[in-house]
Amino acid sequence: VHLMLCLCLQSQQHVMLVLAKKFQCRRLQLYHSSKPCCLLNSMGLSLLLWCVNAMPFWLVDKAMGLGLLDFSRALLVLTWGAAGASVPAAPGAVGTFEAAVRSGMETMGAAPPQALVYAVLVHILAYSTVTVLGLGLMYAEGLSLAKFEEGAEKVSLETKR
């Protein structure tokens, strides 16, 4: 179980780092171009990102021994979770995400307690992955939290004038 979760985290980190390096110099072109190839690139990257994000949903199902989700169902539960996370609530979508994912898993046949544990585990895994990736990419760009604080203070002083 632990090995599967570690492999999931490592694969997500690797995919995101490779994409960040490959498309870094073209990122502005990718979003501001009306060329069909750029649109296809954007759609392909979006599909890849959805698939990578569905991996923890699928792996946690396997790790818990539920056996309720194939990969397409994991994508469906991810979509429910994304809808729940979009509801304005507590920071980090705590509560709304779990409610949506729990509901999705109950629809797939999970018992309510199992569905809740599943939702909490997926949220912890997804939140920690994004946080670690964000901090890693921030470090790779030569940024730090202290630089962000300095920038925020500078902006705050400029807006007071």
Side-chain angles (χ1 to χ4, degrees), residues 126-147:
Y127 203 81
S128 60
T129 301
V130 169
T131 302
V132 169
L133 278 172
L135 290 173
L137 290 172
M138 188 175 74
Y139 178 75
E141 290 290 324
L143 301 172
S144 68
L145 293 176
K147 287 183 183 179

Side-chain angles (χ1 to χ4, degrees), residues 22-152:
K22 183 172 183 174
F23 294 100
Q24 181 179 10
C25 63
R26 294 183 35 196
R27 107 180 98 190
L28 291 176
Q29 291 176 352
L30 189 66
Y31 295 111
H32 297 291
S33 176
S34 60
K35 295 179 182 176
C37 66
C38 291
L39 178 62
L40 290 175
N41 282 342
S42 294
M43 289 172 56
L45 287 173
S46 179
L47 179 62
L48 178 63
L49 182 61
W50 274 89
C51 289
V52 168
N53 284 337
M55 286 176 61
F57 287 78
W58 182 71
L59 288 174
V60 170
D61 173 73
K62 300 299 172 227
M64 288 180 64
L66 298 176
L68 297 172
L69 302 179
D70 57 13
F71 200 73
S72 62
R73 286 180 162 208
L75 279 168
L76 183 59
V77 176
L78 167 64
T79 304
W80 268 319
S86 69
V87 174
V94 174
T96 56
F97 177 85
E98 284 79 8
V101 170
R102 189 197 79 224
S103 171
M105 287 302 290
E106 286 176 5
T107 302
M108 299 294 175
Q114 287 178 324
L116 180 60
V117 169
Y118 174 88
V120 170
L121 286 175
V122 167
H123 200 185
I124 289 170
L125 181 62
Y127 203 81
S128 60
T129 301
V130 169
T131 302
V132 169
L133 278 172
L135 290 173
L137 290 172
M138 188 175 74
Y139 178 75
E141 290 290 324
L143 301 172
S144 68
L145 293 176
K147 287 183 183 179
F148 279 112
E149 284 183 34
E150 290 171 12

